[in-house]
Amino acid sequence: MLRGLYTAAAGLITQQRRHDTVTQNIANINTPGYKQETAVQRAFPEVLLAMTGGYSDNPNRTVGRLNMGVFAEESLSPYVRGLVTPSGETTDFAVESNIIVNDPATGQPMNFDSSGKYVDENGQVTYRPEAFFMVRDEEGNVRYTRDGHFRLDELGTLRTSSGAEVLDENGDPITLTGSVKDLKVNGRGQIQGQFREGDQQTEITLGISIIDQPYQLIREGNGSFRLDTQSGATARLLQEDDVVEIKQGYLEGSNVDATQSMVDLMAAQRAYESNQRVIQFYDASLDKAVNQVGRV
C-alpha cells in the first residue's frame, strides 16, 4: 500500500519544481534577452509485476507493468528569439540571426521549425546555431548573453546591466571615449566614430559568437550562459556569410509565453493538490489500520 504513498510524494516534489520553474519565467517576463525554462518530467523505470505459482502451463503469469512515480529530470531553454522592440538608447543592442546549416545528406539547407529544431530522415536532431554577445564576468570568465542592455561606466568601459565587461571580436574589453549620443554601430557590430584609449582611432567590433549547439549552454544567472565544452558544443566568431544583424537602439525581450505560463502554473497547482489528496487518503488508511484494526 505504501507504493502509492511514495508515488504521490514523488509527484509532489515534481510539481513543486515545475511550479518554481514557471514562476521564474513569469518573474523574468520583462527581462531583456531572457530565455524561458521548461521543466522536463520523466517517469521512474517501469516495474514488471508477475504472479508466482498459478497454472501449471504458465507458472510465472505476467500481471503488467507499473511506474513508481515521476521526477523533474532537467530544465531546457528554447533559444528562439524574443520580440525585438526599439528602446531609443544608443547603448542598447539586439541580435537577429538566421544561421543557415546545410544537411550533409542532401546538401540542402535545413528547414528548422519554430523551436529551432531539425530532424532528418534518420531521426537525427540538429538545432539551429544562435548568435550571442561575448562578455566577461568579474572572475575573468568568458560568458555569452542575449541581453544587449549595455551601459558605459565612468571609465568608458562598455558593460552589461549586471556589470560584466562587453568584449570585442579579439576578446578584449571595449573602452570608448566621446559622447554616448554620438555612438554609431552598423549591422555587423562595427563601432564607428569612437576611440579606444589612446591617440589613434581603432576599428572596434562587438564580439559576436555563434554557438553551434545552444541547448548545451548552461545558465549562470544575470542573463549569461557558459559553454559546456564536455558536451561537444563549440563557439566561433561571427563570419561574413553568417546571416546576423546587430540592431542598435533595440532590445530583445524575453521569449516567455505569458498565456502558456499561466496555464502551466494552474496545471502544476492542480496536479500538486491531487497528489496531496492521495497522501491524505493513505494517511487516513494507515491511521485506521494502526489505531482501529490493530486494537481488535
Side-chain angles (χ1 to χ4, degrees), residues 9-23 39 41 72 265 268-269 271-272 275:
L12 282 178
I13 298 174
T14 299
Q15 296 306 321
Q16 180 181 356
R17 293 180 178 176
R18 179 186 178 190
H19 183 276
D20 294 342
T21 300
V22 177
T23 52
Q41 303 175 23
L265 193 66
Q269 180 180 356
Y272 188 93
N275 286 281

Side-chain angles (χ1 to χ4, degrees), residues 8-9 27 35 63 79 139 156 162 180 201 224 226:
K35 303 304 177 186
V63 177
Y79 289 92
E139 299 178 354
S162 61
V180 176
Q201 185 173 4
S224 64
R226 66 180 173 89

Side-chain angles (χ1 to χ4, degrees), residues 146-167:
R146 291 292 289 259
D147 183 2
H149 184 47
F150 301 151
R151 59 179 177 83
L152 289 176
D153 62 12
E154 60 277 3
L155 300 178
T157 302
L158 194 62
R159 295 181 179 273
T160 65
S161 56
S162 61
E165 297 175 330
V166 181
L167 304 180

Side-chain angles (χ1 to χ4, degrees), residues 25-197:
N25 292 335
I26 295 176
N28 290 276
I29 197 170
N30 293 321
T31 302
Y34 177 81
K35 303 304 177 186
Q36 73 171 4
E37 287 188 294
T38 302
V40 179
Q41 303 175 23
R42 179 181 176 183
F44 289 158
E46 291 184 342
V47 178
L48 177 63
L49 300 180
M51 293 180 61
T52 58
Y55 301 105
S56 58
D57 59 343
N58 187 14
N60 296 317
R61 187 171 40 173
T62 300
V63 177
R65 293 183 177 272
L66 178 68
N67 287 104
M68 303 297 293
V70 296
F71 65 98
E73 183 178 22
E74 60 181 339
S75 295
L76 298 179
S77 298
Y79 289 92
V80 295
R81 185 174 65 244
L83 181 63
V84 177
T85 57
S87 66
E89 298 292 336
T90 57
T91 54
D92 287 344
F93 302 94
V95 179
E96 290 189 343
S97 61
N98 186 19
I99 308 298
I100 299 176
V101 180
N102 292 327
D103 190 338
T106 62
Q108 299 297 321
M110 295 182 179
N111 186 19
F112 295 99
D113 59 17
S114 58
S115 64
K117 181 175 64 176
Y118 171 78
V119 183
D120 61 13
E121 297 179 353
N122 299 322
Q124 183 70 28
V125 179
T126 303
Y127 294 99
R128 190 206 315 270
E130 295 290 343
F132 290 80
F133 295 106
M134 294 171 53
V135 299
R136 187 166 64 189
D137 60 17
E138 296 179 354
E139 299 178 354
N141 300 313
V142 176
R143 297 293 182 253
Y144 305 93
T145 183
R146 291 292 289 259
D147 183 2
H149 184 47
F150 301 151
R151 59 179 177 83
L152 289 176
D153 62 12
E154 60 277 3
L155 300 178
T157 302
L158 194 62
R159 295 181 179 273
T160 65
S161 56
S162 61
E165 297 175 330
V166 181
L167 304 180
D168 61 12
E169 60 181 354
N170 298 320
D172 299 322
I174 297 177
T175 302
L176 306 173
T177 59
S179 174
V180 176
K181 297 180 180 179
D182 299 330
L183 179 64
K184 301 294 182 183
V185 178
N186 62 18
R188 301 301 291 181
Q190 297 173 343
I191 300 176
Q192 303 171 347
Q194 293 291 311
F195 296 84
R196 194 184 295 271
E197 288 183 344

